[in-house]
Amino acid sequence: MTVPFPHPRVPVPGVRLVVLAAQRKDVANPLAERFGVSHKCLIPLHGMPLIRHVMTTLTTHFAQGTIVVSVEPEAFDAVRGALAGLPGASRIELCPAASNLADSVLVAAGTHDGPLVITTADHALLQPASIFTMLTALETNDVA
């Protein structure tokens, strides 16, 4: 499957988009502290939290697939608030982050046995072309 770019909404059946939004245990992000938020992904950029920029790209350009945000349960409400009213928000699931990055990906993947695309929630400059490149890589790989 070669995905031409640009394409307004790419149907990618079976893909799971994993967005890593957690932070290290007992380590506060200095920039998040400066902005008075608990997580770096909640820092505002151009009037929106960083995670909303990422989710806007994902929900706007990808017509199918589950989007899973891995974050600490105590941040669920703040993340839900940051995503409130976002078109396509019904496709977004929150899952508890594990104690490390690799395990967080495994938890977010769950029992899913299809392709995974992994990004971070603070990647505000995420472009559809980057995701399309990863989807092309998934033609011959299990994870991008």
Side-chain angles (χ1 to χ4, degrees), residues 1-143:
M1 163 186 102
T2 300
V3 180
F5 182 81
H7 191 287
R9 285 181 59 81
V10 176
V12 187
V15 72
R16 179 168 287 210
L17 304 162
V18 175
V19 180
L20 301 171
Q23 56 191 15
R24 290 183 185 95
K25 185 173 174 69
D26 300 324
V27 177
N29 180 281
L31 198 53
E33 284 185 328
R34 180 172 179 210
F35 281 92
V37 295
S38 63
H39 286 64
K40 185 166 56 168
C41 69
L42 299 173
I43 295 170
L45 175 67
H46 294 290
M48 291 192 314
L50 293 172
I51 192 170
R52 191 171 179 106
H53 289 276
V54 172
M55 292 304 185
T56 298
T57 297
L58 296 179
T59 59
T60 300
H61 294 281
F62 302 95
Q64 296 174 319
T66 305
I67 302 170
V68 180
V69 178
S70 174
V71 67
E72 297 85 0
E74 58 269 18
F76 280 13
D77 287 343
V79 169
R80 282 188 189 106
L83 302 177
L86 180 70
S90 62
R91 294 176 37 221
I92 300 169
E93 300 173 12
L94 302 181
C95 78
S99 61
N100 63 65
L101 201 61
D103 287 341
S104 290
V105 170
L106 289 174
V107 170
T111 59
H112 182 73
D113 64 353
L116 295 173
V117 174
I118 303 163
T119 190
T120 58
D122 61 349
H123 191 180
L125 299 178
L126 179 66
Q127 295 294 311
S130 300
I131 302 291
F132 296 139
T133 298
M134 289 188 274
L135 292 173
T136 300
L138 288 172
E139 292 176 9
T140 54
N141 300 285
D142 293 329
V143 178

